Each structure stands twice: as C-alpha cells, then as structure tokens.
Amino acid sequence: MGFRQVVKSIKSWRVLDILMLKHQIKIIKEGSGLNKQLSSSLSSRVAVVTGPTRGIGVTISKEFAENNDAEVVICSGSKQRALQVAKEISGKAFGAKLGITDISDVLEEIIGVRHRIDILVNNARYHFNSKTWSKIRSELQSISEVLHGSMRTCRNVISTIIGADGRTTQNAIGGRGVIIASTPDISAHTQGSPYTFAKAAIIAMIKHNACVHGRNTTEAFIGLRNIAKEGAYNSMSTDKK
Amino acid sequence: MNALEEPSMKRWRKPGEVSKIVARVASSSFSFATRNTPVVGGCIVL
C-alpha cells in the first residue's frame, strides 16, 4: 500500500467516524425526545392516585410529580398521612382524604381546585391475613370488599374524568385509568380458592371498566398484577421460606 | 406449588420498575391499548 493510499484510507475512516458520531448523536437526541414526549404528555395533567402512602403508591406519585411534572392528588383514608406523603414529594403533590364508602367529597374538593381529573391510578392492595386464610368464606369476604372499593372508586372518578357527572368545570378531554391490582401477599400462597377468585375478579373488573367507559374516552385499563416483591416472601411461613 | 421455586429473575422488583410502567401507560403512548392486564412479576407467573 502506497503513501497516498494510506492517507486516503485514513481520511475515509475519519469520514466514517464523523458519520458514526453524527448517527450516535442523532440516536441520543431521539432518545431524549421520547422522554420529553412522555413528560410533556403528562405535564400539568391531574392524576388521582389511591393507596399511595406506602410502597408502590409512593413511587408512582413521585414518578408522576417529580419526573413528569404532573399534578398528583394523593388520596388516602388518612388525610394526615396523605398530606405527609405529599410533603415528601418535590413537585405538585396534594393530599386528600378518600372516604371508604363515599368519595363524592374528595371529588368535589379536587374539582373545586384543579377543575378536572385526567388520570386515575387505582392502587388496590389486598392484605394477606393469616388469621382468615384458613377460613375461605372470610377470605373471600375480604377480597370482595377490596374489589368493591376499587369498583366504586373507578366508577366515580371515571365519571368525573369523562365529564359525565357534571362536576367538571373545564372541558373533559378524556383520560386514562390504570388499576394496579397487586396481590403479592397471597401470590406465594397458591393453595385454595381465594387467590384464584381474586385473580379472576381483578381481570374481570378491569375488562368491565374498559367495556363500560372505554368508548367514551381514551382510557387504558391495565392491571399490573402479581407484582413480585418482598412482601410475598415475608408473608410465607418459615418452613415455606 | 411454591411460587418461589419457579424459574424467575431471582430478585424482587425495584420500586421504579412498576412506577415507570404506570407513567408510560397513563401517557399518550398507549392511546390505542385497553383491557390489558400485564403481569409485572419478574417471571413468576401463577
């Protein structure tokens, strides 16, 4: 290979390097563009998160408020706890009390200040209770109560999201519902019918909500289930571990 | 059947592994997806 050929090959490699560098920069830019797109689609959206005072609920609230600039309304049975969690989140986070049987008060409160609700994250958690586990009837009753509460919350909040209840003061533009049906505490206890019942009921609840409300808005009912976490392990007996 | 004896990722989920999915689902990225029930179980399928 002569001197000129060597110089030519070096030059061509440099050109190739520059082209590759430009390509990499383009990929990086496109990547950050996607993040901006996600952030902007949630920016200033009003998200109602239930059950957010611990674990998954807290991290979801933080993800919305801190990383995506959404307005998060933290709804808990304990207003004090809800306000406390809201303070721990840097971003637009607010605490509100979620009634067990009637959630009209909290909806009035949210609409009065925020004027609309865009997103519902229903974080329904079923607590494993070793005392009732051996009694199928009691266990089924407990599961039913959790599911009933979820159904009630979804029905009421979604009505507000789509503007069907007359509360919304701004034009309802449709929203999204995400149901987190975490049943980790019983996922490690596969014997017996309560788990099967809970699993089937959760899926049915999600599909029911999608059928009833899906045509009126752009909701995506997605149940995140069987979330593997340490709680499942901790709920097991010593010999199982 | 013991759930933890099944082939899995051999670890528990990290908090962000659920919250980021929820944020993505709630965004406009899944505008035509509905009635789904994805499992976030680290390969533990019951």
Side-chain angles (χ1 to χ4, degrees):
Chain A
M1 186 181 286
F3 178 73
R4 287 185 179 178
Q5 283 177 314
V6 171
V7 172
K8 193 179 177 183
S9 65
I10 290 171
K11 281 183 177 176
S12 64
W13 276 108
R14 279 184 179 170
V15 170
L16 193 62
D17 282 347
I18 292 167
L19 287 172
M20 286 183 72
L21 186 63
K22 280 186 175 178
H23 182 63
Q24 285 174 345
I25 291 170
K26 189 183 173 188
I27 290 171
I28 292 166
K29 280 183 176 176
E30 283 175 352
S32 61
L34 282 172
N35 290 337
K36 281 180 183 173
Q37 191 183 0
L38 170 62
S39 181
S40 62
S41 74
L42 295 174
S43 179
S44 300
R45 290 281 198 158
V46 180
V48 169
V49 183
T50 67
T53 55
R54 64 174 71 178
I56 293 171
V58 174
T59 56
I60 290 169
S61 301
K62 286 185 175 178
E63 180 67 27
F64 274 80
E66 295 179 0
N67 298 337
N68 292 288
D69 194 34
E71 294 184 31
V72 179
V73 183
I74 294 167
C75 295
S76 171
S78 165
K79 186 165 186 176
Q80 189 182 355
R81 179 69 184 136
L83 292 171
Q84 190 183 338
V85 173
K87 277 185 183 177
E88 293 169 7
I89 295 171
S90 58
K92 288 173 271 185
F94 314 91
K97 180 178 170 61
L98 183 70
I100 296 171
T101 54
D102 184 7
I103 66 168
S104 58
D105 287 347
V106 71
L107 289 176
E108 295 286 350
E109 187 181 334
I110 294 168
I111 294 300
V113 180
R114 316 273 160 232
H115 309 297
R116 68 177 199 280
I117 298 171
D118 301 308
I119 297 162
L120 166 67
V121 179
N122 189 48
N123 180 28
R125 183 166 183 264
Y126 171 73
H127 294 270
F128 174 75
N129 186 345
S130 59
K131 290 179 181 175
T132 59
W133 178 249
S134 58
K135 300 171 185 173
I136 290 177
R137 186 181 291 272
S138 305
E139 198 68 21
L140 289 175
Q141 182 68 30
S142 302
I143 292 168
S144 297
E145 286 171 7
V146 173
L147 292 171
H148 189 213
S150 296
M151 283 291 289
R152 186 171 51 242
T153 304
C154 288
R155 187 178 58 197
N156 285 286
V157 177
I158 289 163
S159 294
T160 304
I161 286 176
I162 64 176
D165 61 356
R167 282 197 183 93
T168 315
T169 55
Q170 289 182 359
N171 289 336
I173 54 175
R176 307 184 73 78
V178 183
I179 300 169
I180 301 174
S182 170
T183 57
D185 290 1
I186 53 171
S187 63
H189 302 260
T190 53
Q191 301 90 346
S193 61
Y195 172 74
T196 309
F197 176 84
K199 187 177 174 181
I202 287 161
I203 295 169
M205 181 177 75
I206 290 163
K207 291 187 183 299
H208 169 78
N209 274 313
C211 287
V212 172
H213 303 290
R215 290 176 185 173
N216 299 324
T217 182
T218 55
E219 291 153 351
F221 285 95
I222 300 190
L224 307 173
R225 56 193 168 87
N226 295 355
I227 297 170
K229 66 168 203 167
E230 206 165 359
Y233 183 76
N234 292 336
S235 71
M236 296 172 73
S237 59
T238 310
D239 58 320
K240 285 276 185 186
K241 288 176 182 175
Chain B
M1 182 175 67
N2 186 340
L4 297 178
E5 289 173 358
E6 290 188 350
S8 72
M9 295 174 75
K10 304 294 181 189
R11 66 175 178 84
W12 304 115
R13 58 94 183 156
K14 296 169 187 171
E17 288 175 314
V18 175
S19 59
K20 289 191 185 300
I21 295 172
V22 174
R24 180 66 76 178
V25 166
S27 73
S28 54
S29 303
F30 284 70
S31 57
F32 206 59
T34 188
R35 303 188 196 183
N36 297 296
T37 58
V39 178
V40 187
C43 274
I44 296 176
V45 180
L46 300 173

